[in-house]
Amino acid sequence: MASRDELSLFIRDALTAGNSRADITAALTDAGWSKTEIIDALDAWAETAFTPPVPRPVQTVSARDFFIYALTFGVLLVGAINLVIVLQVLVDLLFEEDGYAVFGRIRFGVSVLIVAAPLYLWLTLRERRRLARDPALHRSAIRKWLTYIALLLAAGTLLGDLVATIYALLTGDLTAQFMLKAGIVGLVAGGIFLFYYNAIRQEDAE
């Protein structure tokens, strides 16, 4: 961390002295700094003719963000799992005669969804209103990390679902019931992935 602070201070002083970014890059490269370190350090300062150099906004971290976003994504994870369970049990209902036994297996999942769905919607809409009022909140590092974790989990679920489907095909176990269940997993995981992927793309485009 200390070395990065020294690099940032050096670039600030070099820009203040009127050195070009190309000259600064060459000097730092000769000193042994990596290309990535140099680019990241230079990007921390806006490319303007103003003196002294103007720092760019940096990502923020707060306990409040951790609590809200961890709760939001936790509720999403629990809700998504139970949504899949409920829908898959309903698929079983199409192929099994004992409907009472099947419905008995989804009571807990339905209970979770009754709590998780409105809570997730409330948390998400509440945060979107805050982001609309104060665009600076988009720079929350915790929010970005948890968003990418959600993307990772969704992508991993999609890949696992695809592997399971191919395996069932190769072993001859690819029944209509299995395909419907795999499709449910794919739709839920794919929906979550697309939702947060589009959110990330919109933020990067702004």
Side-chain angles (χ1 to χ4, degrees), residues 146-189:
L146 289 177
T147 299
Y148 277 107
I149 289 175
L151 287 173
L152 176 63
L153 292 175
T157 302
L158 285 170
L159 290 174
D161 189 47
L162 179 60
V163 169
T165 302
I166 294 174
Y167 180 79
L169 176 63
L170 295 176
T171 57
D173 296 327
L174 192 62
T175 62
Q177 185 175 5
F178 181 91
M179 290 179 63
L180 286 173
K181 287 186 172 184
I184 288 170
V185 174
L187 285 174
V188 173

Side-chain angles (χ1 to χ4, degrees), residues 14-15 17-26 42:
L15 290 171
N19 293 283
S20 68
R21 289 176 178 258
D23 290 340
I24 295 172
T25 299
L42 282 171

Side-chain angles (χ1 to χ4, degrees), residues 19-39:
N19 293 283
S20 68
R21 289 176 178 258
D23 290 340
I24 295 172
T25 299
L28 290 172
T29 300
D30 291 341
W33 292 93
S34 70
K35 182 179 180 180
T36 302
E37 289 173 318
I38 296 171
I39 292 175

Side-chain angles (χ1 to χ4, degrees), residues 33-150:
W33 292 93
S34 70
K35 182 179 180 180
T36 302
E37 289 173 318
I38 296 171
I39 292 175
D40 289 344
L42 282 171
D43 284 344
W45 303 95
E47 295 189 46
T48 65
F50 190 86
T51 302
V54 181
R56 295 185 189 274
V58 297
Q59 293 187 343
T60 60
V61 177
S62 72
R64 186 262 176 201
D65 284 349
F66 176 78
F67 171 76
I68 293 297
Y69 291 119
L71 176 62
T72 301
F73 288 110
V75 170
L76 172 64
L77 178 62
V78 172
I81 291 173
N82 282 275
L83 176 61
V84 169
I85 292 173
V86 169
L87 293 177
Q88 288 188 340
V89 171
L90 293 178
V91 169
D92 290 336
L93 182 62
L94 298 174
F95 297 89
E96 298 179 14
E97 296 181 358
D98 191 354
Y100 180 80
V102 171
F103 276 118
R105 289 154 45 195
I106 66 172
R107 290 172 183 166
F108 180 76
V110 171
S111 300
V112 171
L113 290 177
I114 290 174
V115 175
L119 178 58
Y120 173 77
L121 289 175
W122 177 73
L123 289 169
T124 301
L125 293 175
R126 181 172 178 268
E127 284 306 298
R128 289 206 165 192
R129 287 194 294 268
R130 291 185 72 248
L131 291 170
R133 290 195 303 267
D134 186 2
L137 297 175
H138 283 283
R139 294 195 293 270
S140 170
I142 291 175
R143 179 174 178 273
K144 287 197 172 184
W145 269 98
L146 289 177
T147 299
Y148 277 107
I149 289 175

